[in-house]
Amino acid sequence: MSIDENPQILTDNPEISLIPSEIEQIKTFVRNNRDLLLQLDALEIDFFGFMEKMRLS
């Protein structure tokens, strides 16, 4: 899944067993937490820092 304002699945032929509503929930999570996910991706925070910030939000 891309981390942008309009998240997209990044593979042409994903083998996922999620129904469309579950995929939409993931996209919503990415949109709502984009800044934190980008910080995690850039190694500005570690996973534990990410989880702490998620807990506080």
Side-chain angles (χ1 to χ4, degrees):
M1 185 72 61
S2 64
I3 302 173
D4 53 46
E5 292 178 16
N6 187 21
Q8 300 296 316
I9 296 174
L10 297 176
T11 183
D12 292 334
N13 189 14
E15 290 187 27
I16 53 177
S17 60
L18 300 172
I19 61 174
S21 64
E22 292 170 325
I23 293 172
E24 195 55 43
Q25 287 177 358
I26 294 167
K27 288 181 178 184
T28 299
F29 175 85
V30 170
R31 281 191 291 271
N32 291 340
N33 297 288
R34 183 173 177 257
D35 291 337
L36 282 178
L37 289 166
L38 289 172
Q39 288 176 20
L40 183 63
D41 181 57
L43 301 176
E44 294 171 5
I45 58 174
D46 62 13
F47 182 74
F48 296 107
F50 173 80
M51 292 304 294
E52 180 66 18
K53 290 181 182 221
M54 288 295 302
R55 186 180 69 79
L56 295 175
S57 63

